[in-house]
Amino acid sequence: MDRYLVFGHPVRHSKSPFIHTLFARQTQQELEYGLAEPAVDEFAQALRTFFDQGGKGCNVTVPFKEQAFTLVDRLSPRAKRAGAVNTIKLTDDGVLLGDNTDGAGLVADLKSHGVTLADSRILLLGAGGAARGALAPLLAELPSELVIANRTHTKAQQLAAEFHDLGPVTAQAYEQLAVPFDLVINSTSASLQGELPPLAPALIHTDIAIYDMMYGASDTAFISWAKQHGARQTMDGLGMLVEQAAEAFTVWRGIRPGTKQVLRELKRNLGVI
Ligand code: ATR
């Protein structure tokens, strides 16, 4: 049976085996999908061993995505732009192909929620790996403006300069930000510590769409805050998780699974519905 897995540390609570098992059932593909949690300095060896022993492909999550970028034989254009790899496929001619499906997953999830990206004004919070992965796919949707704000402003400036060739992207300090934005995407890890990015409440209005790449069984700190200040459309990163997985599954198997039912089952599994 074809073998796949996700590398991460920690990875025990990963939902990827659940998601890919449902995709495989739905598309009638014979495969198994497991977990691997190598020590942080043993990832390269573990990756090599997995493919030497017949593995067909894997996902890579925190903290290995940047390292995976350096370990594959070939990179897809979107992985090159993201500077990180979350999906690896062993091709028929024995090449390890590194891809990144995170940004595509974000865009697919935004669209499935009916969010219009073309001609929109987008505010992206954070300038780490998650923001970097999102930039090219977001700019490909032709927003009229994409502003990056980050606690460490110089990192936002560097990122804006790096992606400037792809569209109208600029950096602004949090305290400079002024309405109106149509969509705010939180790519910071602040919600993990129950913290908030330092955003002025005046930026939130009833027609704004709020997206937090984080998710949990209840609202993230950022989503709760945005709702308190009047946001009506809020989305968390669970849909992005399922969509990036669907994109990875498509890379491996050449068949695109449906995501709606799987997302529903995942919510049920997490106790969200
Ligand atoms: P990831 O790969 O998930 O993007 P990362 O590369 O460590 O993780 O980046 C985390 C991002 O969250 C950074 O932009 C970080 O801001 P700094 O560059 O100033 O460190 C941002 N971040 C983390 N905690 C935050 C907080 N409490 N408030 C605002 N931004 C925060």
PDB file of all heavy atoms in Angstrom, residues 182-200:
ATOM      1  N   ASP A 182     -10.872  45.652   3.410  1.00  0.00           N
ATOM      2  CA  ASP A 182     -11.996  44.732   3.197  1.00  0.00           C
ATOM      3  C   ASP A 182     -11.779  43.405   3.911  1.00  0.00           C
ATOM      4  O   ASP A 182     -12.737  42.705   4.256  1.00  0.00           O
ATOM      5  CB  ASP A 182     -12.158  44.435   1.693  1.00  0.00           C
ATOM      6  CG  ASP A 182     -12.345  45.705   0.895  1.00  0.00           C
ATOM      7  OD1 ASP A 182     -13.265  46.469   1.234  1.00  0.00           O
ATOM      8  OD2 ASP A 182     -11.559  45.946  -0.049  1.00  0.00           O
ATOM      9  N   LEU A 183     -10.496  43.066   4.082  1.00  0.00           N
ATOM     10  CA  LEU A 183     -10.156  41.752   4.641  1.00  0.00           C
ATOM     11  C   LEU A 183      -8.905  41.889   5.498  1.00  0.00           C
ATOM     12  O   LEU A 183      -7.928  42.520   5.071  1.00  0.00           O
ATOM     13  CB  LEU A 183      -9.886  40.787   3.461  1.00  0.00           C
ATOM     14  CG  LEU A 183      -9.225  39.439   3.764  1.00  0.00           C
ATOM     15  CD1 LEU A 183     -10.137  38.561   4.625  1.00  0.00           C
ATOM     16  CD2 LEU A 183      -8.903  38.701   2.448  1.00  0.00           C
ATOM     17  N   VAL A 184      -8.948  41.341   6.701  1.00  0.00           N
ATOM     18  CA  VAL A 184      -7.752  41.277   7.553  1.00  0.00           C
ATOM     19  C   VAL A 184      -7.416  39.808   7.757  1.00  0.00           C
ATOM     20  O   VAL A 184      -8.269  39.011   8.156  1.00  0.00           O
ATOM     21  CB  VAL A 184      -7.988  41.926   8.934  1.00  0.00           C
ATOM     22  CG1 VAL A 184      -6.715  41.830   9.782  1.00  0.00           C
ATOM     23  CG2 VAL A 184      -8.412  43.374   8.794  1.00  0.00           C
ATOM     24  N   ILE A 185      -6.169  39.443   7.442  1.00  0.00           N
ATOM     25  CA  ILE A 185      -5.722  38.062   7.635  1.00  0.00           C
ATOM     26  C   ILE A 185      -4.674  38.058   8.744  1.00  0.00           C
ATOM     27  O   ILE A 185      -3.646  38.742   8.630  1.00  0.00           O
ATOM     28  CB  ILE A 185      -5.107  37.492   6.339  1.00  0.00           C
ATOM     29  CG1 ILE A 185      -6.129  37.519   5.204  1.00  0.00           C
ATOM     30  CG2 ILE A 185      -4.588  36.070   6.584  1.00  0.00           C
ATOM     31  CD1 ILE A 185      -5.549  37.180   3.840  1.00  0.00           C
ATOM     32  N   ASN A 186      -4.925  37.315   9.786  1.00  0.00           N
ATOM     33  CA  ASN A 186      -3.960  37.225  10.885  1.00  0.00           C
ATOM     34  C   ASN A 186      -3.078  36.001  10.671  1.00  0.00           C
ATOM     35  O   ASN A 186      -3.512  34.869  10.838  1.00  0.00           O
ATOM     36  CB  ASN A 186      -4.701  37.117  12.226  1.00  0.00           C
ATOM     37  CG  ASN A 186      -3.734  37.062  13.387  1.00  0.00           C
ATOM     38  OD1 ASN A 186      -2.564  37.454  13.265  1.00  0.00           O
ATOM     39  ND2 ASN A 186      -4.200  36.567  14.520  1.00  0.00           N
ATOM     40  N   SER A 187      -1.826  36.252  10.285  1.00  0.00           N
ATOM     41  CA  SER A 187      -0.875  35.128  10.125  1.00  0.00           C
ATOM     42  C   SER A 187       0.074  35.063  11.307  1.00  0.00           C
ATOM     43  O   SER A 187       0.997  34.254  11.306  1.00  0.00           O
ATOM     44  CB  SER A 187      -0.073  35.282   8.826  1.00  0.00           C
ATOM     45  OG  SER A 187       1.030  36.159   9.019  1.00  0.00           O
ATOM     46  N   THR A 188      -0.118  35.921  12.314  1.00  0.00           N
ATOM     47  CA  THR A 188       0.790  35.891  13.464  1.00  0.00           C
ATOM     48  C   THR A 188       0.488  34.680  14.331  1.00  0.00           C
ATOM     49  O   THR A 188      -0.601  34.105  14.262  1.00  0.00           O
ATOM     50  CB  THR A 188       0.673  37.151  14.354  1.00  0.00           C
ATOM     51  OG1 THR A 188      -0.525  37.051  15.142  1.00  0.00           O
ATOM     52  CG2 THR A 188       0.666  38.429  13.550  1.00  0.00           C
ATOM     53  N   SER A 189       1.444  34.354  15.170  1.00  0.00           N
ATOM     54  CA  SER A 189       1.227  33.246  16.103  1.00  0.00           C
ATOM     55  C   SER A 189       0.715  33.768  17.443  1.00  0.00           C
ATOM     56  O   SER A 189       0.691  33.040  18.429  1.00  0.00           O
ATOM     57  CB  SER A 189       2.530  32.460  16.282  1.00  0.00           C
ATOM     58  OG  SER A 189       3.616  33.342  16.456  1.00  0.00           O
ATOM     59  N   ALA A 190       0.289  35.041  17.487  1.00  0.00           N
ATOM     60  CA  ALA A 190      -0.149  35.659  18.749  1.00  0.00           C
ATOM     61  C   ALA A 190      -1.265  34.848  19.421  1.00  0.00           C
ATOM     62  O   ALA A 190      -1.240  34.640  20.633  1.00  0.00           O
ATOM     63  CB  ALA A 190      -0.607  37.094  18.507  1.00  0.00           C
ATOM     64  N   SER A 191      -2.230  34.369  18.622  1.00  0.00           N
ATOM     65  CA  SER A 191      -3.368  33.634  19.199  1.00  0.00           C
ATOM     66  C   SER A 191      -2.919  32.395  19.973  1.00  0.00           C
ATOM     67  O   SER A 191      -3.607  31.960  20.898  1.00  0.00           O
ATOM     68  CB  SER A 191      -4.357  33.228  18.104  1.00  0.00           C
ATOM     69  OG  SER A 191      -5.113  34.351  17.689  1.00  0.00           O
ATOM     70  N   LEU A 192      -1.770  31.842  19.593  1.00  0.00           N
ATOM     71  CA  LEU A 192      -1.263  30.646  20.289  1.00  0.00           C
ATOM     72  C   LEU A 192      -1.023  30.922  21.766  1.00  0.00           C
ATOM     73  O   LEU A 192      -1.185  30.053  22.607  1.00  0.00           O
ATOM     74  CB  LEU A 192       0.065  30.174  19.669  1.00  0.00           C
ATOM     75  CG  LEU A 192       0.001  29.377  18.370  1.00  0.00           C
ATOM     76  CD1 LEU A 192       1.400  28.967  17.941  1.00  0.00           C
ATOM     77  CD2 LEU A 192      -0.883  28.147  18.541  1.00  0.00           C
ATOM     78  N   GLN A 193      -0.598  32.157  22.063  1.00  0.00           N
ATOM     79  CA  GLN A 193      -0.387  32.540  23.474  1.00  0.00           C
ATOM     80  C   GLN A 193      -1.591  33.303  24.020  1.00  0.00           C
ATOM     81  O   GLN A 193      -1.496  33.936  25.078  1.00  0.00           O
ATOM     82  CB  GLN A 193       0.852  33.434  23.607  1.00  0.00           C
ATOM     83  CG  GLN A 193       2.179  32.786  23.213  1.00  0.00           C
ATOM     84  CD  GLN A 193       2.618  33.200  21.818  1.00  0.00           C
ATOM     85  OE1 GLN A 193       2.524  34.362  21.449  1.00  0.00           O
ATOM     86  NE2 GLN A 193       3.079  32.246  21.013  1.00  0.00           N
ATOM     87  N   GLY A 194      -2.693  33.264  23.281  1.00  0.00           N
ATOM     88  CA  GLY A 194      -3.868  34.012  23.722  1.00  0.00           C
ATOM     89  C   GLY A 194      -3.655  35.516  23.644  1.00  0.00           C
ATOM     90  O   GLY A 194      -4.359  36.296  24.285  1.00  0.00           O
ATOM     91  N   GLU A 195      -2.664  35.942  22.818  1.00  0.00           N
ATOM     92  CA  GLU A 195      -2.386  37.377  22.692  1.00  0.00           C
ATOM     93  C   GLU A 195      -3.025  37.929  21.427  1.00  0.00           C
ATOM     94  O   GLU A 195      -3.521  37.185  20.587  1.00  0.00           O
ATOM     95  CB  GLU A 195      -0.868  37.611  22.638  1.00  0.00           C
ATOM     96  CG  GLU A 195      -0.194  37.314  23.963  1.00  0.00           C
ATOM     97  CD  GLU A 195       1.323  37.402  23.870  1.00  0.00           C
ATOM     98  OE1 GLU A 195       1.844  37.778  22.807  1.00  0.00           O
ATOM     99  OE2 GLU A 195       1.965  37.083  24.891  1.00  0.00           O
ATOM    100  N   LEU A 196      -2.989  39.248  21.317  1.00  0.00           N
ATOM    101  CA  LEU A 196      -3.580  39.910  20.160  1.00  0.00           C
ATOM    102  C   LEU A 196      -2.529  40.734  19.440  1.00  0.00           C
ATOM    103  O   LEU A 196      -1.710  41.381  20.095  1.00  0.00           O
ATOM    104  CB  LEU A 196      -4.680  40.874  20.618  1.00  0.00           C
ATOM    105  CG  LEU A 196      -5.938  40.252  21.180  1.00  0.00           C
ATOM    106  CD1 LEU A 196      -6.777  41.316  21.876  1.00  0.00           C
ATOM    107  CD2 LEU A 196      -6.743  39.597  20.049  1.00  0.00           C
ATOM    108  N   PRO A 197      -2.555  40.766  18.106  1.00  0.00           N
ATOM    109  CA  PRO A 197      -1.710  41.735  17.417  1.00  0.00           C
ATOM    110  C   PRO A 197      -2.214  43.143  17.763  1.00  0.00           C
ATOM    111  O   PRO A 197      -3.428  43.316  17.980  1.00  0.00           O
ATOM    112  CB  PRO A 197      -1.901  41.419  15.935  1.00  0.00           C
ATOM    113  CG  PRO A 197      -3.018  40.453  15.847  1.00  0.00           C
ATOM    114  CD  PRO A 197      -3.327  39.927  17.195  1.00  0.00           C
ATOM    115  N   PRO A 198      -1.330  44.123  17.863  1.00  0.00           N
ATOM    116  CA  PRO A 198      -1.731  45.458  18.347  1.00  0.00           C
ATOM    117  C   PRO A 198      -2.474  46.278  17.288  1.00  0.00           C
ATOM    118  O   PRO A 198      -1.979  47.265  16.767  1.00  0.00           O
ATOM    119  CB  PRO A 198      -0.403  46.105  18.711  1.00  0.00           C
ATOM    120  CG  PRO A 198       0.601  45.425  17.850  1.00  0.00           C
ATOM    121  CD  PRO A 198       0.113  44.044  17.609  1.00  0.00           C
ATOM    122  N   LEU A 199      -3.693  45.867  17.010  1.00  0.00           N
ATOM    123  CA  LEU A 199      -4.491  46.493  15.955  1.00  0.00           C
ATOM    124  C   LEU A 199      -5.501  47.436  16.589  1.00  0.00           C
ATOM    125  O   LEU A 199      -6.149  47.076  17.577  1.00  0.00           O
ATOM    126  CB  LEU A 199      -5.224  45.366  15.215  1.00  0.00           C
ATOM    127  CG  LEU A 199      -5.720  45.612  13.814  1.00  0.00           C
ATOM    128  CD1 LEU A 199      -4.566  45.953  12.881  1.00  0.00           C
ATOM    129  CD2 LEU A 199      -6.443  44.361  13.307  1.00  0.00           C
ATOM    130  N   ALA A 200      -5.675  48.607  16.007  1.00  0.00           N
ATOM    131  CA  ALA A 200      -6.642  49.561  16.556  1.00  0.00           C
ATOM    132  C   ALA A 200      -8.066  49.066  16.283  1.00  0.00           C
ATOM    133  O   ALA A 200      -8.377  48.685  15.150  1.00  0.00           O
ATOM    134  CB  ALA A 200      -6.443  50.927  15.912  1.00  0.00           C
TER     135      ALA A 200
END
